[in-house]
Amino acid sequence: MLQKRAGYVEMKDGSRLPTELMRNRLRHRILRVKTADRVAKVVKGSGKFRRREWDTSEEARCLLLRNRAEWRFLRKQTHPGLVRVYDRVVDEHGDEGYLCEPLMEHRTKDGPHPFSVSLGAWLTSGSFLAQAASVLHAHKLVHGDITPSNVPRRGTKPVLIDFENSVKVGQRLTQNPGGHEDSLIIATPSCCSPEQTKGEPVTPTSDVFCIGLTMLSWVSGFHGMDGSMPNQSADDLFTLCHLAQYPHWEMVEERVRNTEALAAVKLALSRDPEERYQDGTQMSLVLEGVMRRLSDAEFNRPLRTT
C-alpha cells in the first residue's frame, strides 16, 4: 500500500499548501492538496535543473520543458473535455509542476466502465473524447498518448489528460521528435498506433486510432491490446498495435450488438492511416450521426457486461 507522505507545494507568492502523496510515478509525483480541491502534478528531478546543478539529467530537463508547454497550452483552452489547470507550484524538493483539477479514475475492480453502461453513453463518450482531441488537432498538435488511463472523468464526461508527449503534426513520438530516427520511441505499448511502433511521423489519425482503442477498452475492460495472453511483453503488445489486431473484438461485438456503431469505431482502427478518420472532428461527427439514427430504446439499451 502506498504510504501517504505529508509535504507541501509553494505558490508564486510564497504561500505553502499542505499536500500528501497520491501516486509516485516514474517521472512524476501526484500530490493531493489538503486545503483545496486541487491536485499537483510535479516533475521528479526538475529541481536540479531549476537550481542548475551539474548532474541534472537530460530527461528531467526535457520533462520540465514539456510540462511547462503543456501548462501554457491547457490554461488557454476552454473545452470541457480537457483537464483544467491552475497555478504553477514547487514542492518541498524544489521540483516544479502545476495544480490541476482532481478527476475520477476507473479501475477494473470498480465494475463496468461508466462510459459503457449503455450504447448511447458509449457513443456519446467516444464522440466527446474525439472532440477534445480535435482541439489539439486544430492547433496542429498530436496528443500521442490517448489511453484509457489518460481519460478519467469529471462527472459523467471523459476528460483528456497527460499532454507532455504531444508533438507537432508530422513529427515522431520519440525523445527527440525533430532529431535522429534512432531516438527512443515514446509510446504506451498496449495503446499506440501502428505508425508509432515504427517511429514514423504521426498525424491526428494516430490519435484517432488510440481513441478507438480506448473506446473498445471501456467495453472489454482490458487496457488497449492487453489481456490476450498470459505474461504479455511490451514487444507482444507493440506487435498487436503494429498489425492493428485488436484481440477482444468478438467480446466487444457481443456486448455492443449494433453493427453501425461497431463499424464506425472499427474504421478508427484501420492499419492504414489514410483509411481512418483524418482527425477528431471527423470521428466525432460520424459517431454523432450513428447516435441520431438510433431509436430511444436502442440508445438507452444497456451493454452486456459478461
Side-chain angles (χ1 to χ4, degrees):
M1 180 180 293
L2 177 67
Q3 184 176 4
K4 293 185 177 181
R5 174 185 53 79
Y8 66 84
V9 289
E10 186 171 306
M11 309 288 285
K12 189 175 181 179
D13 62 5
S15 61
R16 292 180 175 180
L17 303 177
T19 64
E20 64 181 19
L21 181 66
M22 291 178 61
R23 290 179 191 80
N24 193 9
R25 296 177 176 171
L26 181 63
R27 300 178 179 88
H28 300 93
R29 277 186 295 274
I30 308 300
L31 310 170
R32 184 179 72 84
V33 179
K34 296 181 179 180
T35 55
D37 192 26
R38 297 285 187 270
V39 171
K41 179 182 179 182
V42 176
V43 181
K44 292 168 70 173
S46 59
K48 290 186 175 182
F49 172 69
R50 296 177 65 254
R51 295 188 295 269
R52 290 178 168 77
E53 294 183 11
W54 67 270
D55 60 344
T56 301
S57 74
E58 179 65 14
E59 182 181 42
R61 185 187 73 85
C62 290
L63 282 172
L64 178 57
L65 294 178
R66 283 176 174 267
N67 180 276
R68 290 173 176 175
E70 173 186 15
W71 176 77
R72 286 194 298 269
F73 173 78
L74 287 171
R75 68 196 294 258
K76 298 176 183 177
Q77 307 309 319
T78 58
H79 192 283
L82 301 178
V83 61
R84 297 166 181 157
V85 300
Y86 306 103
D87 300 300
R88 293 201 67 79
V89 293
V90 175
D91 72 3
E92 69 268 26
H93 302 286
D95 291 338
E96 183 181 325
Y98 59 76
L99 296 180
C100 61
E101 64 177 316
L103 296 165
M104 294 177 281
E105 297 181 355
H106 181 81
R107 298 163 295 180
T108 304
K109 68 178 183 179
D110 296 332
H113 202 291
F115 300 154
S116 65
V117 294
S118 68
L119 179 59
W122 185 55
L123 292 170
T124 299
S125 300
S127 175
F128 194 77
L129 174 58
Q131 290 172 22
S134 74
V135 175
L136 283 88
H137 302 161
H139 286 81
K140 306 299 181 185
L141 295 171
V142 177
H143 183 282
D145 198 25
I146 298 179
T147 72
S149 299
N150 285 339
V151 187
R153 61 191 175 94
R154 182 192 308 117
T156 60
K157 298 292 187 181
V159 178
L160 187 56
I161 65 172
D162 284 356
F163 296 74
E164 63 262 19
N165 289 338
S166 301
V167 296
K168 296 178 182 177
V169 170
Q171 289 188 323
R172 294 172 297 109
L173 280 161
T174 64
Q175 283 189 330
N176 186 8
H180 301 296
E181 292 186 4
D182 60 354
S183 181
L184 182 65
I185 294 172
I186 296 177
T188 299
S190 63
C191 201
C192 61
S193 67
E195 51 272 23
Q196 283 177 259
T197 67
K198 297 180 285 185
E200 294 179 348
V202 294
T203 68
T205 64
S206 307
D207 281 346
V208 163
F209 186 93
C210 296
I211 293 170
L213 268 183
T214 297
M215 289 185 67
L216 296 182
S217 298
W218 295 338
V219 176
S220 71
F222 292 101
H223 192 279
M225 299 290 189
D226 204 1
S228 63
M229 64 181 74
N231 302 317
Q232 246 175 330
S233 68
D235 286 342
D236 294 329
L237 295 168
F238 265 122
T239 298
L240 290 173
C241 288
H242 174 70
L243 298 174
Q245 293 182 349
Y246 183 66
H248 309 295
W249 185 254
E250 289 186 4
M251 177 196 298
V252 172
E253 283 184 317
E254 292 173 359
R255 294 181 176 183
V256 174
R257 293 174 291 150
N258 182 286
T259 54
E260 188 179 10
L262 288 165
V265 175
K266 194 170 188 177
L267 188 63
L269 271 74
S270 299
R271 188 178 183 187
D272 184 350
E274 294 298 321
E275 296 178 1
R276 302 175 206 147
Y277 307 110
Q278 293 306 292
D279 57 24
T281 297
Q282 188 179 16
M283 183 174 183
S284 176
L285 289 172
V286 171
L287 294 178
E288 288 176 2
V290 173
M291 285 188 279
R292 284 195 297 271
R293 290 185 286 276
L294 296 175
S295 66
D296 289 345
E298 184 70 354
F299 184 90
N300 294 311
R301 175 176 58 79
L303 298 188
R304 290 178 179 172
T305 58
T306 56

